Amino acid sequence: MNRYKTLTYYLRLVAIVIASQNLLVAQPIVVDEVIMHRNQFKNWVETEPDPAAASDPTPINPNAKSGKVIVFKRGTGNSNASPLPAVYVSGSKAEVSATFLNTGDCTPNSIFIKGEATIGSMTYQLPVKALKLKNNECTYPATAFREAFPEGLVMCNESFIITWNWTDNPEAKKVPEPSGIEWSSAGESSCFVMVTHDKAQRGLISGDIEGTSFFISSIYISCKAADGLITSDKDIISMKIFDAFRTLDLKKYKSEFNLKYWGGDNPLNNDAVCRDIPGLLRFRDANCDEWASFFQDMLKIHGITRGKRTSLTWQDKFNNGNIGILNLATFTQLKNECKQFFGNDYESKIKFEYTGPDKNSIYSFIFVKNYQFNNTQKFYFYNKEHNGSGIFLPNITLDNVSLAASNPIRDGVAGQANDDPRSYFENHVIITYKSNNNSEIYLDPSYGKSFSTKNEYEDTSIAGFGTILFYETDPLTKLGHYVIWLKNQNTSIQELNFN
C-alpha cells in the first residue's frame, strides 16, 4: 500500500512537470529589449546629460553616452531604459535591434520577426529577419527601417511604438512578402526618439562665445517646441523654437523646476563655472549672456546658423564694445547736475560707478520698463530689487532734498520664471536673426519677446538712460543709498548700440 502511494505521488509530480513545460512552450514570443543604434555619425546626435544640480530629482550619470541607446526594456514600466534618448537627423533611417523571450532554443531560421511603427501619417517598417542566437539571447539583428524620416522633420516622440510580429514560416523572408502568411503578435516596445531638422552646426558661429552643446535639455526643449513640423523653411523651425521661450516657463528635461533669468540662484561671480550654458543648466538660473547662448545653441543643434549674438549698450563702448560707458559730454552734464542738486560738496558723498582706473569710465545704464520716470526729475531713490527685506520705501530725504522712489511697486518686467528680474544694465545680450529674405528680427530669449526693428525693441523695452550713483551717508560704515541719475527718458530717436 505504501509503495502504491509513493508511485502515485511521483506520477502526479511528473505530470505537473510536463504540464509546466507545455505551458512554458505555449507562452507567446514577446519582445524583451530594444536598442537604437547610430548607423552613420552624420545622422546621429551624440546627446550628453545635463550638468546636474544637487536638487535635480534624478540626475543623469554624466558619463552616459548615446552611441547606442537601450530605448526599451520589459519590466521597467515600458519606459525608456536608457537615461538618454535616440536622436536622429531628418532624412536618415533609424536602426534597431531587439531581443525576444520564449523562443525555445532559437534554432537558426526557425523564427522570423518584423516590426512596424506608425507616427502620424508615416509608417516605418522593419523588414523580416530570422532571429539569431547571440550571447545566449535570441536577437533581431541591427536593421534599418525601410523608410527614412522625412527631410526637414522635427520630432519629439516619447512613445515611439514599434509593433512586433513573428512567424515560423520561412516564406515570410521573400520580397515581396507572399500573401497568406500567418503572423502572431510579439508585443510592443515604447521608445523615446527625437529627430532634428538638419545636421548640427558645431563650434562657434556669428559672434557666439560657446561651442555647440548637445545637452539633453537643449535638444528636448527645441524638438518638443517644433514637434511634427516637416519643412525646408528654417525660419519656421526657428520661430517655433523661440515660441518655447515666449512662455517664460522652460524646464530642464525631467525636471519640475523652472529655468530662471536673474533668479539669484547662480553664483555668477565664478565665471569659469557659471557664465555659460552648463552654468544655466546646473543652477537653473543665469543672465542674458547665457540665455542668448541657450537659444542659439538650440538653433545650431538643428543646423540653423542664422542667429547672431548681439550686445546692446548705450553711448560709448568699453571692454571690447561689450560694456556701455558715459561719453565725456554726458559725464560733464552728470557732474554739473549733481552739484546743482546735492550742493558743492557732492563729491565727498557721491560715489560714481566706474569700470576702470579712469574715472571718466562711468557705467552708462539702460533702464528697463516699468520705471516711473518723469520729464522734470533727474534723480530718483533706487528701490533695489535684491534688497533682502523686500521692503520698498516710497521716498527718501538726502541733504534736505527729497527723492521720489524710482518705482514703489516694481521696476522690472517679467523674464524667464521671474516676475521681477534686475531692471538696469550696462549691457544686454539678445539674438539678431536674419530671415529668408535677409531682413533682421531681434529675439530676446531672457524675456521671451521678439521685435521687427531696433526702434521697436527700444520703444517697447526701455524706459530711460543714465547711470547709478551711490550716496554715502556714513563714511565709517560705508552705508548709504543707491540713486538713479536719469539723463533722459526713451524717445523716438534710437539711442542703443546693437553690437
Side-chain angles (χ1 to χ4, degrees):
M1 191 68 174
N2 289 336
R3 290 180 180 177
Y4 174 76
K5 287 183 178 179
T6 301
L7 179 61
T8 302
Y9 171 78
Y10 279 112
L11 288 174
R12 287 178 179 175
L13 182 61
V14 169
I16 291 171
V17 171
I18 292 172
S20 65
Q21 288 177 340
N22 289 336
L23 180 62
L24 180 63
V25 172
Q27 283 183 318
I29 292 173
V30 63
V31 63
D32 179 52
E33 181 178 270
V34 174
I35 299 175
M36 286 195 164
H37 303 255
R38 177 180 68 196
N39 46 21
Q40 295 183 42
F41 180 79
K42 66 179 181 180
N43 292 331
W44 178 271
V45 179
E46 195 74 44
T47 313
E48 297 182 24
D50 288 339
S55 56
D56 281 350
T58 52
I60 295 175
N61 183 343
N63 297 317
K65 299 296 180 185
S66 69
K68 182 173 75 172
V69 176
I70 303 174
V71 289
F72 171 83
K73 180 68 176 176
R74 185 163 297 280
T76 58
N78 293 345
S79 61
N80 200 58
S82 168
L84 298 172
V87 186
Y88 292 94
V89 178
S90 73
S92 66
K93 293 182 179 181
E95 187 170 295
V96 180
S97 66
T99 58
F100 291 81
L101 301 175
N102 308 326
T103 56
D105 59 4
C106 201
T107 304
N109 292 315
S110 64
I111 299 172
F112 302 89
I113 297 285
K114 68 177 181 179
E116 183 176 286
T118 299
I119 310 298
S121 61
M122 288 293 301
T123 297
Y124 303 92
Q125 296 180 322
L126 287 167
V128 177
K129 289 289 180 75
L131 292 186
K132 296 182 178 181
L133 188 62
K134 183 178 180 181
N135 298 325
N136 295 319
E137 293 181 321
C138 288
T139 302
Y140 179 90
T143 305
F145 281 99
R146 287 195 177 103
E147 298 79 18
F149 294 115
E151 293 282 354
L153 169 70
V154 177
M155 186 175 77
C156 179
N157 195 321
E158 296 182 67
S159 184
F160 186 93
I161 295 174
I162 303 175
T163 301
W164 299 91
N165 288 283
W166 74 277
T167 184
D168 58 4
N169 188 339
E171 294 291 305
K173 287 190 69 176
K174 292 183 178 180
V175 180
E177 180 185 312
S179 60
I181 302 291
E182 291 187 7
W183 291 93
S184 299
S185 173
E188 292 183 342
S189 58
S190 179
C191 314
F192 184 10
V193 182
M194 291 191 284
V195 178
T196 61
H197 176 72
D198 205 345
K199 181 182 175 182
Q201 172 72 37
R202 298 171 181 267
L204 300 175
I205 62 163
S206 302
D208 194 10
I209 58 174
E210 295 184 58
T212 309
S213 86
F214 293 93
F215 294 126
I216 177 62
S217 285
S218 297
I219 300 170
Y220 177 72
I221 291 170
S222 58
C223 285
K224 191 175 180 66
D227 180 42
L229 286 178
I230 303 175
T231 178
S232 61
D233 191 331
K234 295 185 182 296
D235 289 352
I236 293 175
I237 303 298
S238 300
M239 294 307 107
K240 286 300 291 185
I241 294 173
F242 191 74
D243 282 346
F245 287 77
R246 296 183 196 274
T247 68
L248 306 183
D249 188 31
L250 293 179
K251 295 178 176 66
K252 291 168 60 174
Y253 172 61
K254 283 193 172 181
S255 174
E256 59 185 281
F257 303 106
N258 286 97
L259 298 169
K260 298 177 185 177
Y261 169 63
W262 273 100
D265 297 326
N266 188 330
L268 289 163
N269 58 313
N270 188 345
D271 287 355
V273 177
C274 309
R275 299 305 302 267
D276 53 17
I277 296 170
L280 167 59
L281 294 174
R282 179 178 292 109
F283 299 103
R284 296 191 300 272
D285 175 44
N287 295 352
C288 56
D289 279 1
E290 299 75 43
W291 276 99
S293 294
F294 194 40
F295 173 65
Q296 189 178 46
D297 189 55
M298 294 183 194
L299 296 184
K300 291 192 295 182
I301 284 170
H302 290 267
I304 301 171
T305 60
R306 297 179 177 181
K308 178 183 178 183
R309 185 178 179 277
T310 302
S311 182
L312 309 183
T313 58
W314 177 59
Q315 292 214 335
D316 287 351
K317 289 171 276 188
F318 183 77
N319 189 24
N320 297 323
N322 292 325
I323 300 293
I325 59 173
L326 301 180
N327 61 36
L328 182 59
T330 302
F331 183 39
T332 301
Q333 178 184 345
L334 167 62
K335 290 189 291 185
N336 289 338
E337 291 185 358
C338 282
K339 182 177 180 180
Q340 181 180 356
F341 194 80
F342 293 106
N344 291 331
D345 62 343
Y346 80 92
E347 289 181 310
S348 65
K349 299 174 181 177
I350 293 293
K351 308 300 178 185
F352 294 122
E353 297 280 345
Y354 54 90
T355 61
D358 178 6
K359 289 192 176 183
N360 289 324
S361 301
I362 308 297
Y363 279 117
S364 63
F365 283 118
I366 305 163
F367 296 102
V368 177
K369 289 183 177 179
N370 299 303
Y371 279 85
Q372 294 178 344
F373 294 139
N374 63 64
N375 291 322
T376 61
Q377 188 173 336
K378 286 288 188 177
F379 294 91
Y380 298 81
F381 165 55
Y382 174 54
N383 271 322
K384 193 177 181 185
E385 289 110 334
H386 304 294
N387 62 2
S389 67
I391 299 172
F392 290 86
L393 304 176
N395 53 59
I396 197 166
T397 300
L398 301 174
D399 279 348
N400 298 318
V401 177
S402 180
L403 297 179
S406 54
N407 185 338
I409 302 173
R410 189 177 78 194
D411 295 322
V413 295
Q416 298 293 342
N418 187 356
D419 286 340
D420 188 18
R422 178 180 164 181
S423 59
Y424 68 96
F425 302 100
E426 63 274 17
N427 70 350
H428 184 61
V429 181
I430 65 171
I431 296 294
T432 299
Y433 183 89
K434 183 166 288 189
S435 59
N436 288 333
N437 59 7
N438 284 328
S439 64
E440 291 183 340
I441 58 175
Y442 305 93
L443 305 175
D444 193 335
S446 302
Y447 294 94
K449 294 182 178 180
S450 61
F451 308 89
S452 57
T453 67
K454 295 176 180 178
N455 248 342
E456 182 191 6
Y457 180 93
E458 189 171 310
D459 292 343
T460 303
S461 308
I462 308 303
F465 305 92
T467 194
I468 299 281
L469 314 174
F470 185 73
Y471 188 96
E472 191 175 83
T473 56
D474 188 336
L476 294 178
T477 62
K478 304 298 182 182
L479 294 177
H481 301 282
Y482 285 96
V483 175
I484 291 174
W485 174 69
L486 179 71
K487 180 182 183 297
N488 60 270
Q489 294 187 76
N490 181 56
T491 66
S492 59
I493 300 172
Q494 181 187 319
E495 296 189 55
L496 287 176
N497 305 306
F498 285 67
N499 305 314

